[in-house]
Amino acid sequence: QGSIPLGMGFVLDKDEAKKIINQDSKYNEVIFDYLNGSDLNNQPDLKATRSIINFFDWSEDKAKDYPICYEILYNKVKPERQRWKKDKNGNELVGVYKLREPMPTKWWIYCEKRPTLYKTISGLDNCLVVARTSKTVGFALVNTTQVLNANLTIIANSDYQHFTQLQSSIHNIWAWKYTTKLKSDLIYQPADIYETFPFIRNESPSFSLRKIGQMYYSFRE
């Protein structure tokens, strides 16, 4: 599962991101494309429609080295993260944060950073993703230099052989049979679907799933 920022203040529209980067190219180090399930299902080019600020697991002092982005989070995310808990009468319990630690005190960092995910895919140019909730179970190869949202299931594999099997009607039927459903949508749970699916590990020389997948993907583009 992808990142959970927890705070809409992290998110920038493309024009705002471009404006910041044009002021100083160093902001390329903390502003990234932000891909979510809606983009994956609705954008023909599979490209992110928004950008996002990412200070990783940095200290606040290091985040301050990027003052434009720091100020955005200070004004938009910090107040949201540092809300007080309320009693049963709706009165604020001053000094008692509503959110669990460290979210209120490390408000410039994502709620769920997913360091293992990004470390795992860092050696790949692309990885396979699918919207966690969808009707299509449509897989795609996307670049790994962006922030991937929590409503994506990410598979650390860029092999067209793997893609072919996941995009097959056999896997689609398997997914609908064994997963959890939300109304008329499928929720892609790896433990229920991916980890139990009987992948073909070896191919005959005359039958290449990898070649089929590459041709299909190229045609789709």
Side-chain angles (χ1 to χ4, degrees), residues 4-7 10 53-61 63 70 73-74 77-83 97 99-113:
I4 303 176
L6 195 63
F10 286 102
I53 298 168
N54 186 5
F55 283 141
F56 307 95
D57 59 353
W58 294 354
S59 68
E60 187 174 5
D61 284 341
Y70 177 84
L73 302 189
Y74 185 90
V77 177
K78 186 179 181 181
E80 183 179 350
R81 289 279 194 92
Q82 294 191 343
R83 291 169 291 160
Y97 292 124
L99 300 177
R100 62 174 171 81
E101 288 291 349
M103 288 183 281
T105 52
K106 291 192 174 183
W107 45 266
W108 63 94
I109 292 174
Y110 294 172
C111 167
E112 297 293 346
K113 301 180 290 296

Side-chain angles (χ1 to χ4, degrees), residues 85-98:
K85 191 174 182 179
K86 294 182 180 181
D87 62 22
K88 61 182 179 181
N89 297 316
N91 300 312
E92 290 186 338
L93 300 173
V94 178
V96 181
Y97 292 124
K98 181 177 181 178

Side-chain angles (χ1 to χ4, degrees), residues 113-180:
K113 301 180 290 296
R114 308 295 189 212
T116 302
L117 163 66
Y118 293 105
K119 181 179 179 180
T120 302
I121 65 175
S122 63
L124 302 171
D125 292 330
N126 300 297
C127 63
L128 283 162
V129 297
V130 63
R132 289 182 69 83
T133 304
S134 76
K135 293 180 174 64
T136 60
V137 198
F139 286 82
L141 287 160
V142 301
N143 75 71
T144 57
T145 60
Q146 57 189 329
V147 173
L148 303 170
N149 180 266
N151 57 28
L152 294 173
T153 295
I154 299 103
I155 297 168
N157 194 306
S158 59
D159 191 340
Y160 283 107
Q161 182 200 49
H162 217 62
F163 165 75
T164 302
Q165 295 183 72
L166 290 173
Q167 197 60 77
S168 69
S169 58
I170 298 171
H171 181 262
N172 187 281
I173 293 167
W174 184 277
W176 280 102
K177 181 176 177 61
Y178 291 109
T179 196
T180 304

Side-chain angles (χ1 to χ4, degrees), residues 10-34:
F10 286 102
V11 181
L12 307 171
D13 64 46
K14 289 286 188 175
D15 289 339
E16 186 178 9
K18 185 178 180 180
K19 183 178 179 181
I20 294 170
I21 291 169
N22 284 342
Q23 291 183 58
D24 192 331
S25 61
K26 76 174 185 178
Y27 285 96
N28 275 308
E29 299 168 11
V30 295
I31 295 177
F32 300 87
D33 286 339
Y34 184 41

